[in-house]
């Protein structure tokens, strides 16, 4: 009998639905099956996750996908080199507004259909109507998918995110409170923190990340680069555990159990029913009106955990777009190298799961589910379109950045 | 020596009022007089603009750290760039701070030796506060378990008609046999007695 190696790994996470893959890896024994003694530590801020990784308390963590890129670009106050060897699913966010703002948007033609274009048009005329009030929207972090998708949506609808409204930052669990106290008029956040507002009757979900950009990246598991280099086998074992966990999380028959696990005090600490909206994609958009959002949160299908370099580069393009970093060839290379599909492939090959042959793809190009080149099992990707029909070709990064200049 | 140090303006953000006071005292004793203590993040951008702090100390439990950091990047409120801790290369100091549960942001360009004593003070006060809180918690749980044991003894004395000493001996023996704490045995006995108690006569 060959001796199994065992590993101790401590992972930080934030109380969000998309911590599911990490949480289930521990709670359903996928980590243990790979010889990993996985400890999960719930954190109160993304800054804590970053700092505790920098000082070695955590080897890996649930992270906003742009965070490791920002760290490697030196944009954060304490930055340790971080890699993204696996994504933690696609989608999962929603944009929610107060009842008051919804009332005004409805008067301008907004409907409860989650359609980003028509809801955005209604928001635009609502803002144009009252030039004396500037709506205030919150996102969770400057380097977050939420920040970029909210701005993308607004800009594509003819709303200037910096002139026509104000964007502020609020921690996810405090979003609904901020809406109730009228500190903000709307927000973009991961589940269950939009459901927190609709359950309370204080907000309306107007659109979702999956409608703004279908099959789009959201969280990754970041790993401390020096640890990953020192302990490649521990990392590979963890990637396998996360892949199996993602597979389990994706199966609808497991959703009730997953919801119960996530609802526990140590994790999200909210009712299990709240988790089921996001897991099923059948969202209560407000007042008990249920709307189905296709691919609302995708944990496994469509290579949902694959760290596409085109995702890293899209986030980078938005950092440039909103003035967080200057565009240079070196900076683009840092962003591209943050994502590590090579480590993902190396670790998951023995599992026989579908591994994309390419490291990057043209984002938004697939209008229907399309079989693509893969190793292992066969793989279908898409649809993956942006709501405005735009394409992001990572080989034409300069042109994309140029076209988005304001 | 502290003459020039006292000119540094320090902002302390901590939702825990007691701990904030402990840190404030420490810094004041060390000769820093330009101190501002804030318990709530609401309106913090304006406060930062007014105070223009050289150093910001915030506890790591605070969920608003991301909000605070976003201000350093984007807000017009903060006129000067702010970096974290004293010196990124000073890994030991950073570790000590994170271990203690405190984080400090420092205006760019401040000399390390001017800021280090502030951070050291914050770290030692945070550690002292955590120790104090731990001791308090231990004392509280000791009192709690003594109360539980007393109640369990009372139940045994009443239901079995035995002396206090015998009741205690019985609890202790059961705890030893089951390899559990005597307070745990007492707690389960109280719960069981509550469940089995005859309905109260009215």
């Amino acid at each position: 009998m060959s001796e199994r190696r065992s590993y101790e790994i401590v992972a930080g996470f934030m109380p969000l639905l998309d911590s599911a893959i990490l949480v289930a890896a521990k709670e359903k024994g996928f980590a243990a099956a790979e010889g990993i003694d996985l400890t999960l530590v719930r954190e109160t801020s993304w800054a804590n996750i970053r700092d505790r990784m920098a000082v070695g308390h955590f080897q890996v963590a649930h992270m906003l996908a742009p965070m490791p890129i920002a760290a490697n670009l030196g944009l954060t106050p304490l930055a340790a080199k971080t890699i993204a060897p696996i994504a933690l699913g696609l989608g999962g966010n929603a944009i929610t507004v107060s009842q008051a703002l919804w009332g005004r948007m409805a008067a301008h033609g907004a409907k409860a259909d989650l359609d980003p274009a028509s809801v955005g048009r209604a928001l635009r005329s609502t803002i144009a109507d009252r030039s004396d009030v500037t709506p205030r929207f919150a996102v969770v972090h400057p380097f977050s998918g939420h920040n970029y998708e909210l701005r993308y949506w607004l800009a594509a609808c003819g709303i200037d995110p910096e002139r026509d409204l104000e964007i502020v930052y609020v921690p996810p669990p405090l979003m609904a409170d901020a809406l109730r106290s009228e500190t903000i008029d709307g927000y973009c956040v991961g589940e269950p923190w939009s459901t927190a507002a609709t359950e309370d009757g204080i907000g309306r979900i107007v659109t979702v990340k999956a409608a703004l950009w279908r099959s789009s990246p959201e969280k990754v598991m970041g790993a401390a680069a020096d640890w990953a280099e020192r302990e490649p086998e521990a990392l590979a074992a963890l990637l396998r555990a996360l892949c199996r966990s993602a597979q389990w999380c994706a199966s609808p028959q497991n959703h009730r159990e997953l919801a119960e696990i996530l609802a526990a005090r140590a994790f999200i600490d909210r009712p299990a029913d709240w988790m089921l909206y996001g897991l099923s994609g059948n969202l209560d958009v407000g007042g008990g009106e249920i709307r189905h959002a296709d691919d609302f949160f995708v944990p496994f299908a469509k290579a949902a955990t694959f760290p596409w370099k085109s995702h890293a580069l899209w986030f980078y393009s938005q950092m440039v777009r909103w003035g967080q970093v200057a565009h240079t060839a070196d900076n683009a290379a840092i962003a591209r190298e943050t994502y590590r599909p090579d480590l993902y492939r190396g670790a998951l090959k023995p599992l026989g799961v579908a591994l994309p042959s390419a490291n990057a793809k043209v984002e938004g190009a697939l209008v229907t589910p399309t079989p693509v080149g893969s190793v292992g099992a066969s793989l279908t990707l898409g649809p993956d379109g942006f709501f405005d029909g735009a394409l992001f070709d990572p080989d034409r990064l300069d042109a994309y950045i140029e076209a988005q200049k304001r | 020596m502290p003459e020039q140090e006292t000119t540094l303006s320090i902002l302390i953000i901590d939702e825990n009022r007691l701990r904030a006071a402990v840190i404030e005292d420490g810094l004041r004793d060390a000769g820093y007089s330009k101190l501002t203590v804030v318990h709530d993040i609401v309106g913090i951008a304006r406060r930062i603009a007014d105070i223009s702090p050289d150093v910001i100390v915030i506890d790591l439990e605070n969920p608003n750290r991301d909000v605070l950091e976003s201000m350093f990047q984007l807000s017009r409120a903060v006129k000067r760039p702010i970096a974290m801790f004293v010196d990124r290369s000073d890994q030991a100091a950073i570790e000590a701070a994170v271990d203690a549960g405190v984080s400090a942001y420092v205006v760019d360009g401040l000399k390390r030796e001017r800021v280090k004593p502030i951070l050291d003070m914050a770290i030692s006060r945070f550690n002292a506060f955590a120790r104090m809180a731990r001791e308090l918690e231990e004392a509280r749980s000791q009192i709690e378990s003594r109360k539980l044991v007393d109640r369990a003894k009372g139940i045994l004395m009443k239901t079995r008609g035995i002396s206090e000493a015998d009741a205690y001996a019985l609890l202790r023996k059961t705890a030893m046999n089951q390899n559990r704490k005597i307070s745990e045995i007492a707690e389960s006995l109280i719960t069981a007695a509550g469940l089995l108690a005859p309905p109260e006569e009215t």
Side-chain angles (χ1 to χ4, degrees), chain A residues 46-48 50-51 57 169, chain B residues 60 65-66 69 74 84 99:
Chain A
W46 296 109
N48 276 14
R50 179 201 64 213
D51 294 350
H57 288 183
Y169 302 93
Chain B
L60 289 189
R65 278 190 69 209
D66 292 326
E69 285 191 4
L74 301 167
M84 193 180 203
D99 281 340

Side-chain angles (χ1 to χ4, degrees), chain A residues 81-132:
Chain A
K81 195 159 180 273
T82 309
I83 58 168
I86 191 167
L88 297 177
L90 302 168
N93 301 340
I95 296 176
T96 300
V97 302
S98 68
Q99 294 289 6
L101 181 54
W102 174 248
R104 288 162 54 205
M105 285 167 66
H108 284 278
K111 291 193 177 59
D113 57 6
L114 305 180
D115 174 45
S118 62
V119 171
R121 266 196 306 276
L123 178 61
R124 185 186 170 191
S125 12
T126 304
I127 293 172
D129 214 23
R130 292 278 305 274
S131 55
D132 53 323

Side-chain angles (χ1 to χ4, degrees), chain A residues 14 44-48 50 64 77 136 138-143 166-175 178 183-184, chain B residues 13 15 40-46 48 56 58-59 62-75 77-78 105:
Chain A
M14 288 286 277
T44 50
S45 69
W46 296 109
N48 276 14
R50 179 201 64 213
L64 300 160
R136 188 185 278 170
V139 293
V140 304
H141 198 274
F143 301 113
E166 188 186 355
I167 294 180
V168 298
Y169 302 93
V170 173
L174 304 183
M175 286 287 189
T183 312
I184 55 175
Chain B
I13 305 172
E15 289 171 337
D40 193 338
I41 202 90
V42 174
I44 193 75
R46 163 152 300 213
I48 291 177
I56 300 174
I58 182 169
D59 66 292
N62 201 312
N64 288 302
R65 278 190 69 209
D66 292 326
V67 180
L68 184 70
E69 285 191 4
S70 71
M71 282 171 202
F72 305 155
Q73 286 189 321
L74 301 167
S75 168
V78 182
Y105 300 91

Side-chain angles (χ1 to χ4, degrees), chain B residues 76-104:
Chain B
R76 293 139 215 121
V78 182
K79 295 171 201 94
R80 297 171 294 173
I82 293 188
M84 193 180 203
F85 297 107
V86 184
D87 181 348
R88 281 188 194 190
S89 62
D90 195 348
Q91 188 71 14
I94 294 172
E95 274 183 40
V98 175
D99 281 340
V102 62
S103 156

